[in-house]
Amino acid sequence: MSRPSAPHLFGVRHLSPAAAWHLRRLLDRVKPKLVLIEGSDDADELIPHIVSPRSKPPIAFLAYTTDAPVRTFAYPLANYSPEYQALLWCREHRVQARFMDLPASVFLGLMDRDDGAAVVDIEPPPTPEKAREQPTLAQKLSGRDGDAEEVQPDTPPPPGRNSLYERVAELAGEPDYETYWERHFEQLDADGQYEEAARTYGAELRALEDFSTPRAAENLVREAYMRRKIRQAVADGFPPEQIVVVTGAFHAPVLNLEQPAMTDEELARLRRRPAKITLMPYSFFKLSSQSGYGAGNHAPAYFELAWNARHAGRTPQLPTLFLTQATRELRASGTFRSTAEVIEAVRLAETMAAMRHSQPTLRELRDAAVTLLGQGDPAVVREALLRVEIGTAIGSLAQGVSQTSIQEDFHRELDRLKLEPFKTPVKRDLELDLRENRRVKSTEAAFLDLHRSGFLHRLEVLEVPFARKQAVRQDGANWAERWALQWTPEAEIAVVEAVLLGETLELAVAFRLKQRLEACTSIADAARIIRQACECGLPGSMELARQTLQRLASDSSDFPALAAAARELSLVLRFGDLRQIDPEPLKPLLEQLFLEAALALGSASTCDAAAARPVLEGVNDLNRVALDHTGLIDEALWLTELQKLAAADHLNPLLSGHACAVLLERGLISNDELAREVSRRLSPGIPADLGAGWFEGLSQRNRYALLTRLVLWEQLAGYVASLDDDQFKRALVFLRRAFGEFSPAEKHGIAENLGEIWGVHPEQVGEALGVELNETEKEKLAELSDFNFEDL
């Protein structure tokens, strides 16, 4: 009896150049009428866009839930993906292509499972008899040969997938699984050779699988569904022998017409989430294992090079192509290597590979590059190898292809704000001047940078990692902003996920700020939202945040939070006009916050050392507000509270010293008053944590003024000399923190002051500081570096 016809099953490893090349050759031989491809079947409508000449891999289709909690998954395609090449072949030959895996709604539903149970009860199909004709990987790994008895039900489960792949590599004598795959699969050339190897490999992997795990249960569900799609294709009139099925090598052995397919009842029981699917550009970095994508490959630029070489019939020249590109990268970075060194590197790689009876793998090429091009130093070639192994390529799609409304809004804004050139995988800096440009004619052009700023701040609120704000070079330039822009697939995903918050960026940001305000319990957070709403150009959100802050402020006595809130409002008041937002409604609220914070300073200063740090920052914030808004707030009250704190002996000494520094900086303490206070605070008999702690607070501000007051250093030197050993060790904690933040020039000034006190000429001090340490001094310094001062 003749065997019934069956579809052609082609097992692949996703993102395998060899699989893609051999698949195209199979398609040329079989000339199918239908190609079924592993991938969510609701992505069929994306196929015309995937294979469009205007689409440039790497790309991916991204599935996402349309309600919370947000779930997403991406299915990436590179130029050398077997699935992508199958789709291209179908377009070129006018053959129908379909995806055949679970719908995205089911995949996303499976992500919600937290009980570890299978979604439906599906038994694993038996391993085909053909896979048992020869000793399998399972038998080899367990030390058994092909004649040994079968594994009994009580046999311990096989190892996990990662350790399994590592053991496969170890059995083959390879250092890692990637090298194993490349040597044993990527280098196969003869027709049918890859096909047979992948078929056997997939069957042997299944023999090692533990089908009791949730991951394995999900695979069984997927396979039952894919068999259903194959049967459906046959029912649609496609003869089985005219169907090619492209799937992972692990699944291929059981995707046949003899095995049971998923029933209507089983399909109905699958958990689902409302979902949508879209296309997005992807990147080589995202494909690389460095970015955590498990089904990617560790060197996408290298495999793209391998694909191009194989496609052009230049596979034997791959080592030369790779090492030549690495040399170009080295030369571009200023490290010259000769052609002779490249030739020697190729020979070394080929010699090492010949010992394994193969062509060079990436492993041998990398070792040869380090040895010859890096002259034994991996650091020399690390950057160059990253560029030729991983690369910086990022895909692209035609404008408007399968985008959500918020993606469309995002790209409209990019175009309007002339930011399209910054949408690259290479980081670029953008300097903004928020002031009106009076040299241009249109209003849009005059405020281009201001609108750019609002756009980038909106992305920041939505946590879209496209732009990161940097420190500006001009201190106090409230009109200047500096951003670092870099496009990544993660940024694209974040934009897509933001559609759950609103149809446009403006609506999504407003909704996100509203969510944060509803959960807000801190006045500092509420004030921060006011500032962010101002930066985003959202006056409605500013008003909501103002109302929230007003409500929270009436019940707050937390000094650091009050001071931080006042500081945030101060920034909005100073920059509001620049951002074309009326800040007037915030003035009464700032006045209230400032008053409450000033009155709370005394009670907040009754604290230990750990709690003193936030209070100290609050003092700085509130003092800045007082300087910026003299006519609005009660500055006299603030200065009175500072003077009380500076004179107090019962409050935290760090804060008392810092209050003294603020008053000194404002010119409200004379030299004589400072001398008396220093004498009182640093007199013999004062405990170290009080005296040295006070000095630490004093040294936090206006160090130049301190350096010019010799009386301060005379008193400090005398005080330190008066301490006994235990008190001196205690004082070291505070003095080390105080002087640790001084610049080298400031420390040199201190040394000259002490030299003058001790009768040493300043030039002698400079010479003494410049003398190289002897071995004994170096040992003492090393001991101090390792010493934990906090244990004192």
Side-chain angles (χ1 to χ4, degrees):
M1 179 174 165
S2 62
R3 185 176 179 181
S5 60
H8 299 270
L9 301 175
F10 192 91
V12 302
R13 187 189 189 199
H14 306 296
L15 300 161
S16 164
W21 189 77
H22 284 284
L23 173 58
R24 288 196 66 114
R25 292 176 69 87
L26 172 78
L27 294 171
D28 287 337
R29 293 195 305 271
V30 173
K31 295 180 174 56
K33 300 299 183 185
L34 173 67
V35 178
L36 296 175
I37 301 169
E38 182 182 317
S40 291
D41 62 2
D42 47 357
D44 281 354
E45 63 185 23
L46 301 179
I47 291 176
H49 301 304
I50 292 173
V51 298
S52 167
R54 293 180 296 174
S55 295
K56 177 186 174 184
I59 57 178
F61 58 73
L62 174 72
Y64 60 95
T65 55
T66 56
D67 57 9
V70 177
R71 298 280 189 268
T72 64
F73 75 83
Y75 190 108
L77 298 167
N79 193 39
Y80 53 87
S81 297
E83 300 89 340
Y84 178 71
Q85 287 300 322
L87 293 172
L88 280 183
W89 187 94
C90 289
R91 186 199 68 182
E92 294 161 5
H93 295 81
R94 301 181 184 277
V95 170
Q96 186 174 351
R98 298 177 184 173
F99 289 114
M100 62 172 182
D101 210 339
L102 291 170
S105 58
V106 175
F107 269 121
L108 295 167
L110 292 175
M111 292 182 184
D112 284 342
R113 289 188 298 116
D114 56 5
D115 54 6
V119 288
V120 291
D121 295 325
I122 296 178
E123 293 296 324
T127 303
E129 291 298 324
K130 186 174 181 180
R132 295 199 178 101
E133 293 175 1
Q134 300 295 328
T136 65
L137 283 172
Q139 293 165 343
K140 293 176 181 178
L141 291 173
S142 62
R144 299 183 288 114
D145 59 26
D147 297 327
E149 60 181 342
E150 291 186 349
V151 178
Q152 299 301 312
D154 60 348
T155 301
R161 299 185 74 86
N162 288 337
S163 67
L164 166 61
Y165 292 145
E166 291 165 3
R167 292 182 65 195
V168 168
E170 183 181 357
L171 181 68
E174 298 291 357
D176 53 65
Y177 181 74
E178 294 294 336
T179 303
Y180 164 79
W181 177 269
E182 185 178 359
R183 198 184 311 279
H184 292 84
F185 291 88
E186 292 298 324
Q187 296 182 3
L188 299 176
D189 290 324
D191 284 347
Q193 198 175 18
Y194 174 92
E195 223 177 316
E196 181 62 29
R199 184 184 301 114
T200 303
Y201 183 68
E204 293 178 348
L205 281 181
R206 296 187 72 83
L208 288 166
E209 179 64 283
D210 177 6
F211 285 99
S212 66
T213 65
R215 176 188 175 92
E218 180 179 314
N219 277 331
L220 295 177
V221 171
R222 292 175 60 199
E223 290 161 358
Y225 187 80
M226 286 191 277
R227 289 193 293 269
R228 177 187 177 95
K229 296 293 288 188
I230 295 172
R231 292 193 179 199
Q232 180 181 320
V234 174
D236 289 343
F238 291 97
E241 68 275 10
Q242 293 184 355
I243 299 173
V244 169
V245 176
V246 182
T247 185
F250 179 84
H251 305 300
V254 297
L255 297 189
N256 51 66
L257 295 176
E258 288 79 23
Q259 303 293 345
M262 180 176 289
T263 65
D264 292 343
E265 180 185 1
E266 290 168 338
L267 179 59
R269 289 169 55 195
L270 292 176
R271 185 178 305 189
R272 287 175 167 80
R273 288 283 304 277
K276 290 185 178 180
I277 196 164
T278 184
L279 278 178
M280 59 177 282
Y282 222 61
S283 72
F284 275 178
F285 175 75
K286 184 66 175 175
L287 283 175
S288 73
S289 57
Q290 288 189 12
S291 62
Y293 175 60
N297 51 16
H298 62 303
Y302 167 73
F303 283 110
E304 176 94 348
L305 184 67
W307 164 255
N308 291 335
R310 184 182 280 273
H311 199 60
R314 301 180 65 190
T315 297
Q317 300 174 39
L318 178 60
T320 302
L321 295 171
F322 176 85
L323 291 167
T324 299
Q325 282 197 13
T327 303
R328 288 197 193 102
E329 294 293 340
L330 281 174
R331 290 173 178 172
S333 64
T335 302
F336 180 79
R337 291 292 182 264
S338 67
T339 303
E341 287 171 302
V342 176
I343 294 172
E344 288 302 313
V346 172
R347 288 175 178 169
L348 177 59
E350 291 176 340
T351 300
M352 289 188 289
M355 298 173 66
R356 306 301 302 268
H357 308 289
S358 77
Q359 295 298 314
T361 66
L362 179 58
R363 182 93 178 190
E364 282 100 22
L365 293 174
R366 188 185 293 124
D367 289 344
V370 171
T371 303
L372 274 302
L373 304 182
Q375 299 177 350
D377 186 355
V380 173
V381 294
R382 182 176 295 116
E383 187 68 27
L385 289 179
L386 282 175
R387 289 186 176 276
V388 294
E389 290 179 25
I390 295 176
T392 59
I394 189 168
S396 62
L397 296 165
Q399 190 72 23
V401 168
S402 190
Q403 292 184 334
T404 61
S405 58
I406 201 166
Q407 284 176 289
E408 292 171 352
D409 183 54
F410 173 82
H411 286 97
R412 277 196 303 269
E413 288 295 282
L414 279 185
D415 183 61
R416 181 177 73 89
L417 299 172
K418 298 179 173 57
L419 291 175
E420 201 58 57
F422 292 87
K423 190 172 175 279
T424 70
V426 179
K427 185 181 295 184
R428 294 182 59 183
D429 288 337
L430 176 65
E431 305 275 355
L432 299 181
D433 184 338
L434 308 189
R435 298 171 296 187
E436 180 181 0
N437 183 358
R438 299 181 183 275
R439 297 188 301 274
V440 296
K441 295 181 179 179
S442 70
T443 303
E444 180 73 17
F447 294 102
L448 176 63
D449 278 3
L450 176 62
H451 296 153
R452 284 175 164 179
S453 172
F455 171 71
L456 297 177
H457 278 288
R458 290 179 182 186
L459 296 181
E460 194 173 49
V461 170
L462 293 175
E463 299 178 358
V464 175
F466 174 45
R468 300 189 184 280
K469 197 174 181 183
Q470 310 292 305
V472 295
R473 298 186 178 92
Q474 305 95 329
D475 291 337
N478 59 3
W479 45 266
E481 283 186 352
R482 184 167 171 260
W483 295 81
L485 279 64
Q486 184 178 24
W487 188 247
T488 63
E490 289 84 356
E492 184 93 38
I493 292 172
V495 171
V496 172
E497 290 178 344
V499 78
L500 296 178
L501 304 176
E503 294 295 314
T504 65
L505 290 173
E506 181 176 345
L507 292 175
V509 172
F511 187 77
R512 171 63 61 81
L513 294 179
K514 182 174 180 289
Q515 283 181 319
R516 288 171 53 189
L517 286 170
E518 289 171 349
C520 185
T521 58
S522 164
I523 59 172
D525 289 343
R528 192 172 299 112
I529 292 174
I530 292 178
R531 175 178 56 79
Q532 289 177 325
C534 175
E535 292 169 337
C536 293
L538 298 175
S541 297
M542 280 184 64
E543 176 57 23
L544 286 176
R546 186 197 67 78
Q547 294 172 11
T548 302
L549 178 57
Q550 185 86 57
R551 174 175 52 81
L552 294 172
S554 60
D555 299 325
S556 178
S557 59
D558 182 349
F559 174 78
L562 287 165
R567 176 68 173 149
E568 294 285 1
L569 290 193
S570 172
L571 291 173
V572 176
L573 286 171
R574 290 178 62 200
F575 307 153
D577 290 342
L578 189 65
R579 294 190 177 272
Q580 300 179 346
I581 286 182
D582 181 14
E584 286 298 318
L586 299 176
K587 288 184 177 180
L589 187 52
L590 174 61
E591 188 177 1
Q592 175 192 343
L593 290 172
F594 186 89
L595 177 64
E596 292 176 359
L599 294 175
L601 176 60
S603 59
S605 300
T606 308
C607 62
D608 60 15
R613 291 291 167 179
V615 177
L616 186 147
E617 293 300 322
V619 169
N620 290 336
D621 285 341
L622 214 59
N623 189 62
R624 183 73 259 171
V625 173
L627 291 171
D628 289 340
H629 304 281
T630 304
L632 177 63
I633 48 83
D634 192 343
E635 186 178 19
L637 172 65
W638 169 241
L639 295 177
T640 299
E641 295 299 319
L642 278 179
Q643 289 165 341
K644 290 179 183 177
L645 175 57
D649 293 331
H650 65 288
L651 300 178
N652 186 283
L654 175 77
L655 298 175
S656 294
H658 194 67
C660 186
V662 173
L663 293 170
L664 180 65
E665 189 177 87
R666 279 173 160 259
L668 299 177
I669 293 181
S670 66
N671 281 341
D672 290 341
E673 289 172 324
L674 178 63
R676 287 195 296 271
E677 188 64 14
V678 168
S679 177
R680 186 172 74 85
R681 296 283 187 172
L682 300 181
S683 60
I686 297 294
D689 54 346
L690 297 180
W694 180 86
F695 178 79
E696 181 187 357
L698 180 70
S699 67
Q700 297 292 307
R701 298 178 69 96
N702 199 4
R703 291 171 188 152
Y704 178 77
L706 299 180
L707 289 172
T708 60
R709 288 168 166 80
L710 192 62
V711 64
L712 170 66
W713 303 102
E714 288 176 339
Q715 194 68 36
L716 179 62
Y719 173 71
V720 172
S722 73
L723 298 174
D724 60 30
D725 287 348
D726 289 340
Q727 287 292 323
F728 176 72
K729 290 179 181 179
R730 187 71 191 152
L732 273 181
V733 176
F734 302 95
L735 295 176
R736 181 173 180 268
R737 279 200 302 253
F739 292 126
E741 298 181 6
F742 278 63
S743 69
E746 290 168 341
K747 291 176 182 178
H748 195 279
I750 294 172
E752 290 186 346
N753 281 342
L754 295 175
E756 185 173 346
I757 293 168
W758 296 330
V760 180
H761 193 276
E763 290 184 1
Q764 293 177 292
V765 173
E767 291 174 2
L769 291 175
V771 173
E772 186 175 352
L773 299 178
N774 59 38
E775 291 302 319
T776 302
E777 291 168 334
K778 289 180 180 178
E779 290 176 5
K780 288 290 185 184
L781 190 61
E783 291 175 6
L784 285 175
S785 297
D786 296 334
F787 186 75
N788 186 357
F789 286 87
E790 302 301 328
D791 290 340
L792 292 175

